[in-house]
Amino acid sequence: MSMLGTENVAGTDPLASMRERFTIPEGVTYFDGNSLGLMPRSVGPKVTEVVQKQWAQGLIRSWNDAHWRDLATRTGEKVVRLIGAGPGQVVACDSTSVNLFKVLVSAVRLRPGRTRIVTDIDSFPTDLYIINEVAKTHGLIVDAVPAASIPQALDVDVAAVVLTHVDYRTAHIHDMQAYTRACQAAGALMIWDLSHTAGAVPCELDACEVDFAIGCGYKYLNGGPGAPAYLYVAKRHIEQCEQPLTGWFGHRAPFDFDLEYAPAPGIERFFCGTHPVLGLSVLHNALDAFEGVNLQALRAKSTALTRHFMEAAQHRLAAHGFVIASPMDDAQRGSHVSLRHKAGYEIMQALQKRQIIGDFRLPDFMRFGFAPLYNNVDEVEHLVSALEEIMVNREWLVISGEERKAFT
Amino acid sequence: MSMLGTENVAGTDPLASMRERFTIPEGVTYFDGNSLGLMPRSVGPKVTEVVQKQWAQGLIRSWNDAHWRDLATRTGEKVVRLIGAGPGQVVACDSTSVNLFKVLVSAVRLRPGRTRIVTDIDSFPTDLYIINEVAKTHGLIVDAVPAASIPQALDVDVAAVVLTHVDYRTAHIHDMQAYTRACQAAGALMIWDLSHTAGAVPCELDACEVDFAIGCGYKYLNGGPGAPAYLYVAKRHIEQCEQPLTGWFGHRAPFDFDLEYAPAPGIERFFCGTHPVLGLSVLHNALDAFEGVNLQALRAKSTALTRHFMEAAQHRLAAHGFVIASPMDDAQRGSHVSLRHKAGYEIMQALQKRQIIGDFRLPDFMRFGFAPLYNNVDEVEHLVSALEEIMVNREWLVISGEERKAFT
């Protein structure tokens, strides 16, 4: 079964050669591209150019000469295809949390008089923290409910719904069109967090008439540790948006040094401070790894990898106490798979000792990201065999005496 | 006069060798370290290490193994000496504008019931924009007055005063102790913007009992284009502060994934999203350029350079219509000097054609930054001679037909 799967996928994988676009550490099998993507090979020379040439030699002149000025806009334009957005609606800037703050406050201001924000209780915590803070400042109430209950929570009091497209633990895909329609039917604005989506799971922001979206630059987009994030605002809203972080780079004419803030007419009004040129340059370059990649093929590869792992887990790992926490239905599953196990932390550490890297999310989620640009079925097989051996040999028991790491 | 000055400064300059810590482009004379500092030589190898080793090879493990986890805290600890702060009060994160938003909202929340924010009408515009936005959201009034009038504007209704230590155009130094005392005498909280201070003009945040400060990482700190900024919060306030950008990195235990936000006990509560590792690594490394540098010597060098330029300007440039816009009194002047001239933009462009780089600020400020770590008196002489020649030969007239650049 699994060998047949291997041949099928490998034999017909149109993305097999994409792996060569990345630096893969010798001996490492990496399933954490959903947390920090591999480094695209092109990044090395680019960083050297930006630092040694644009900065060290060009200095301040590079804002014009090396086009740093519109780098954040150009980076956004490289993201649009991956998330089904037309031009002029996406920029790269700040962090995902800061961007959620900006779009959520904008949304709330577009719906004055409404008193509630609805979200998924299982959202990545930073989203919940920001939502609660925005609600507190604006005198609103937060309804954090299971995602499936969101439609029932909607009424004319709801200003905005914040929902993550691919759940960070289970990889469950929330139906973008259905939730967006339900939200908008109540007159509320829909904000999607695409952090575990973009670069692995195609989506259609424009076709679904989404209002706002945010997402992370360092996961499947491979922008490097703490890369700038991005945000999307539907064209129909941009001119009405008053985002709350009114820094000079969001001004219509930053170098006029007007005393009064006047937002840029376009999506650039969502900028705040000076662009983080180094991080943006890396993200901009890293996005070239998607050049020529057909998004249907990307999704097919991702699905094949996760399905292969889940089938193997069912047949070969269930006996060792692993419980599959991700949807069996391909259509409902993103690009990672979580297994739950009471010794999950220790098992992940045992894997790491074998240079097989995934991550762990409390309370007991062992999370494996399958990045369709570089992971392959041979690696999945290697992972499953290693898990079997670790359980049979009780390797994880050795770990349980060690101190837990701060960053998991 | 000027030759004597040259010898005096050069002969006794204990910082002369610091220039070797930087990459200086062949043929370029750079007076824009107050806008984008030169690249310290150590940055090149460091960036390669961070990208090729920590990211590409270490991958997600580097959060622990390469100490990315506390990089923002460690970077802050390298800034403290430059601004007279004890440990545990400074972190590097986000942009200056975002950091002003965080500390200003924190300050306003510490002074409930007070209705006004007072600031300098000549602040760098991004500060004014953020102040106005915070005021709008919190139902407060902004009094933007000339800095000298701030003491008269203070009363029991004032929640916070925001003031830039070194004016971005004139380089006028506002007396940190005097303004802070006046502000606090009214029961308000004092926030200083140190963007044009740190790295060139020593200051004493702790000794002056300042409440909050923010500053830029890419000017005299040489952190590279769009480097992370920093913020300071006096220890006595930290535990009471509720900053509004409550992202997961400011949480007490980010990897516990609590549903409720609980701020870190220390200055780390001012973090929001995931640390921008690349930018932080560069800033952290760049700050080594200050290692072993005596801050009194730094200030003496800075003052000698600006004085030399101003005296030369008085004697050799006044006849060409230049007006000195910076204080003649050394004690009141930061590390840059502005000349005003009706053809200021064109003259700066003519200088740039000679590879002499300063910058231009509307309406007519020609701004020259003298970075005491790498500029020297020979360069100042070169600048003055070039300005004389440009005026005598009317070189600037050629420029006036060209299109203005977007980034000045």
Side-chain angles (χ1 to χ4, degrees), chain B residues 29-53:
Chain B
T29 314
Y30 196 63
F31 299 107
D32 213 8
N34 56 324
S35 193
L36 174 63
L38 290 181
M39 185 189 76
R41 286 182 190 280
S42 58
V43 162
K46 171 52 74 175
V47 165
T48 301
E49 182 201 331
V50 173
V51 169
Q52 300 283 6
K53 206 173 140 189

Side-chain angles (χ1 to χ4, degrees), chain A residues 23-26 28 30 32 35-41 43-45 47-48 50-52 54-61 63-65 68-69 94-98 101 105 109 121-126 128-134 136-138 168-169 218 222-227 242-249 251 253-262 272-279 282 286 352 355 357-362 405-408, chain B residues 23-26 28 30 32 35-41 43-45 47-48 50-52 54-61 63-65 68-69 94-98 101 105 109 121-126 128-134 136-138 168-169 218 222-227 242-249 251 253-262 272-279 282 286 352 355 357-362 405-408:
Chain A
T23 296
I24 297 172
E26 183 77 28
V28 169
Y30 196 64
D32 213 8
S35 194
L36 174 62
L38 290 181
M39 185 190 75
R41 286 182 190 281
V43 162
V47 165
T48 301
V50 172
V51 170
Q52 299 284 6
Q54 296 181 4
W55 174 17
Q57 299 295 321
L59 289 163
I60 196 72
R61 299 170 292 193
W63 281 101
N64 292 310
D65 300 347
W68 289 349
R69 210 159 31 86
D94 297 307
S95 64
T96 312
S97 301
V98 168
F101 184 82
V105 171
R109 288 176 172 178
I121 186 82
D122 291 318
S123 298
F124 188 77
T126 205
L128 296 174
Y129 304 156
I130 295 285
I131 293 165
N132 282 328
E133 175 66 24
V134 169
K136 191 178 83 177
T137 312
H138 292 78
Y168 81 104
R169 286 187 299 202
Y218 54 79
N222 311 304
E242 294 182 12
Q243 69 96 350
L245 297 179
T246 50
W248 70 315
F249 266 52
H251 193 279
F255 286 88
D256 281 1
F257 298 98
D258 288 340
L259 295 186
E260 295 294 326
Y261 183 75
C272 182
T274 307
H275 296 326
V277 170
L278 200 51
V282 170
Q352 192 157 320
Q355 299 221 65
I357 300 172
D359 62 25
F360 177 75
R361 289 292 174 261
L362 285 171
K405 293 181 179 168
F407 195 104
T408 58
Chain B
T23 296
I24 297 172
E26 183 77 28
V28 168
Y30 196 63
D32 213 8
S35 193
L36 174 63
L38 290 181
M39 185 189 76
R41 286 182 190 280
V43 162
V47 165
T48 301
V50 173
V51 169
Q52 300 283 6
Q54 296 181 4
W55 173 17
Q57 299 295 322
L59 289 163
I60 196 72
R61 300 170 291 193
W63 281 101
N64 293 310
D65 300 347
W68 289 349
R69 211 158 30 88
D94 296 308
S95 63
T96 312
S97 301
V98 168
F101 184 82
V105 171
R109 288 175 172 179
I121 186 82
D122 291 318
S123 298
F124 188 76
T126 205
L128 296 174
Y129 304 157
I130 295 286
I131 293 165
N132 282 328
E133 175 66 24
V134 169
K136 192 178 84 178
T137 312
H138 292 78
Y168 81 104
R169 286 187 299 202
Y218 53 79
N222 312 303
E242 295 183 10
Q243 69 96 350
L245 297 179
T246 50
W248 71 314
F249 266 51
H251 193 279
F255 286 88
D256 282 1
F257 298 99
D258 289 339
L259 295 185
E260 296 294 326
Y261 183 76
C272 182
T274 307
H275 296 326
V277 170
L278 200 51
V282 170
Q352 191 157 321
Q355 299 221 65
I357 300 172
D359 62 24
F360 177 74
R361 290 292 174 261
L362 285 171
K405 292 179 180 169
F407 195 104
T408 58

Side-chain angles (χ1 to χ4, degrees), chain B residues 177 180-181 184 190 204-212 232 234 236-237:
Chain B
Q177 185 142 55
T180 301
R181 281 189 182 162
Q184 292 172 347
M190 186 73 214
E204 295 291 342
L205 294 183
D206 281 356
C208 294
E209 297 185 38
V210 166
D211 299 298
F212 299 91
Y232 161 94
R236 64 188 176 280
H237 293 311

Side-chain angles (χ1 to χ4, degrees), chain B residues 55-211:
Chain B
W55 173 17
Q57 299 295 322
L59 289 163
I60 196 72
R61 300 170 291 193
S62 289
W63 281 101
N64 293 310
D65 300 347
H67 309 287
W68 289 349
R69 211 158 30 88
D70 62 355
L71 178 58
T73 306
R74 289 185 287 115
T75 305
E77 291 304 333
K78 282 191 171 185
V79 175
V80 294
R81 182 176 78 97
L82 304 177
I83 58 179
Q89 301 176 110
V90 177
V91 282
C93 52
D94 296 308
S95 63
T96 312
S97 301
V98 168
N99 287 339
L100 175 56
F101 184 82
K102 289 188 286 192
V103 302
L104 180 55
V105 171
S106 300
V108 162
R109 288 175 172 179
L110 288 173
R111 290 293 179 270
R114 291 184 173 231
T115 55
R116 290 161 56 221
I117 302 170
V118 174
T119 192
D120 176 5
I121 186 82
D122 291 318
S123 298
F124 188 76
T126 205
D127 288 6
L128 296 174
Y129 304 157
I130 295 286
I131 293 165
N132 282 328
E133 175 66 24
V134 169
K136 192 178 84 178
T137 312
H138 292 78
L140 307 177
I141 292 162
V142 177
D143 280 348
V145 300
S149 306
I150 286 179
Q152 289 81 59
L154 298 172
D155 62 28
V156 294
D157 290 335
V158 177
V161 175
V162 183
L163 185 54
T164 300
H165 185 234
V166 175
D167 185 278
Y168 81 104
R169 286 187 299 202
T170 66
H172 184 92
I173 294 179
H174 297 114
D175 185 328
M176 185 170 278
Q177 185 142 55
Y179 280 99
T180 301
R181 281 189 182 162
C183 167
Q184 292 172 347
L189 293 161
M190 186 73 214
I191 302 172
W192 286 98
D193 183 338
L194 306 177
S195 291
H196 287 273
T197 302
V201 182
C203 66
E204 295 291 342
L205 294 183
D206 281 356
C208 294
E209 297 185 38
V210 166
D211 299 298

